[in-house]
Amino acid sequence: TVVLDARLDPRMADSAVVAAEGGVRFYAGAPLRAEDGTVLGMLCLLDTEPRQRFGRRALQRLVQMADLVSTSLLTRKRVRALLNERALLATGPMGVVMWETGPGWPMVYRSANLTEVLGPGAVVQLDQGAPFDRIVHPEDRNAWRIALRSHVDTPLPRLDISFRVQVDNGPVRWLRQVSMPQRDPQGRALRVQAFLLDETLQKHIEAQVVSSRERLQLALDSARLAIGDIRLESGEHHVS
């Protein structure tokens, strides 16, 4: 929007900022938009002197500046949301890891609470540059690699798997991993973000439930067995 002389424009002539001594005479504005197109405000050029013209090139530059400001506002919003998310995750029960999809799948981010999820030994190795699959249990390692690789080889939007981690013959931990790729406009996976939850206690409870069911079934099967008592001298027999 361009107004060369605000006192001659019926939309602005009655405004106090225009009618006042030394008030606004020239106005040019370009909208600041949110990601969905909602107008957040205007980037404005104001002058206390009217102008004869405001060329197309000048207006294009104003629009370009407004686009840059809109992008900056959006970036600040995303950064603030990311920082809030990381702060929340840092104190929660779920850890976060991000890998690049290049050779060796280097870890480019981990949440501060990952020690509570993986254990201190595992995190020390990761911070020293060890690949993540080194802490994956040997029996689960190949399946974990195939699962992570599927984000690159297929358009899979989300993956939910469980596997074990173990460091230097230490205690085994069960993890549940929910991973999602971050893709470029061509659909290529650039990074993979994973949310990790320690489900060791849940696995132990499940194992106890299975064991209890097996013992119960054994008891029921035993109860169905007949016990016989035969007296040879009289020929009497009793079945219970």
Side-chain angles (χ1 to χ4, degrees):
T1 302
V2 177
V3 178
L4 297 176
D5 190 342
R7 291 185 179 179
L8 301 179
D9 191 303
R11 297 171 298 175
M12 306 180 69
D14 295 333
S15 172
V17 297
V18 173
E21 183 74 20
V24 174
R25 297 292 298 276
F26 169 79
Y27 169 89
L32 305 174
R33 299 185 182 276
E35 194 171 12
D36 62 358
T38 302
V39 176
L40 303 175
M42 302 289 289
L43 179 64
C44 304
L45 290 177
L46 305 174
D47 198 346
T48 57
E49 297 292 333
R51 297 191 183 184
Q52 298 300 317
R53 62 185 301 274
F54 189 73
R56 178 179 299 178
R57 180 173 296 181
L59 181 59
Q60 288 176 343
R61 288 178 179 173
L62 179 61
V63 171
Q64 290 173 352
M65 290 180 64
D67 290 341
L68 289 174
V69 173
S70 297
T71 301
S72 178
L73 292 173
L74 177 60
T75 300
R76 289 177 61 185
K77 179 182 178 182
R78 288 176 173 172
V79 169
R80 189 180 299 113
L82 179 60
L83 292 176
N84 290 338
E85 175 185 320
R86 289 184 176 180
L88 178 63
L89 290 172
T91 58
M94 185 176 294
V96 183
V97 176
M98 185 179 293
W99 301 282
E100 287 185 347
T101 57
W105 289 78
M107 185 177 68
V108 295
Y109 169 76
R110 73 166 180 87
S111 59
N113 67 333
L114 199 62
T115 300
E116 286 74 26
V117 179
L118 298 180
V123 173
V124 167
Q125 289 199 17
L126 295 177
D127 287 345
Q128 291 176 346
F132 192 90
D133 61 0
R134 182 177 297 178
I135 68 171
V136 177
H137 193 282
E139 295 179 5
D140 299 340
R141 190 170 295 158
N142 191 52
W144 181 86
R145 289 170 177 164
I146 293 173
L148 201 64
R149 183 70 194 178
S150 66
H151 286 302
V152 176
D153 298 333
T154 71
L156 190 69
R158 180 176 179 270
L159 185 66
D160 191 336
I161 61 173
S162 292
F163 59 94
R164 292 164 292 177
V165 295
Q166 186 179 29
V167 177
D168 299 331
N169 297 319
V172 173
R173 294 194 184 204
W174 275 95
L175 294 184
R176 180 181 179 185
Q177 173 181 300
V178 179
S179 55
M180 294 162 285
Q182 295 181 355
R183 302 184 183 276
D184 64 12
Q186 288 72 43
R188 294 172 298 188
L190 302 178
R191 289 169 294 276
V192 174
Q193 184 176 30
F195 298 89
L196 303 173
L197 181 66
D198 186 349
E199 58 176 11
T200 305
L201 179 59
Q202 177 183 339
K203 290 292 185 179
H204 287 168
I205 293 175
E206 290 175 356
Q208 291 174 0
V209 170
V210 171
S211 178
S212 296
R213 287 177 177 173
E214 291 176 348
R215 289 198 301 269
L216 177 60
Q217 187 62 48
L218 181 61
L220 291 174
D221 291 342
S222 298
R224 296 190 186 101
L225 296 177
I227 299 176
D229 182 12
I230 301 176
R231 297 182 179 180
L232 297 178
E233 65 276 12
S234 63
E236 296 178 359
H237 64 274
H238 175 72
V239 178
S240 60

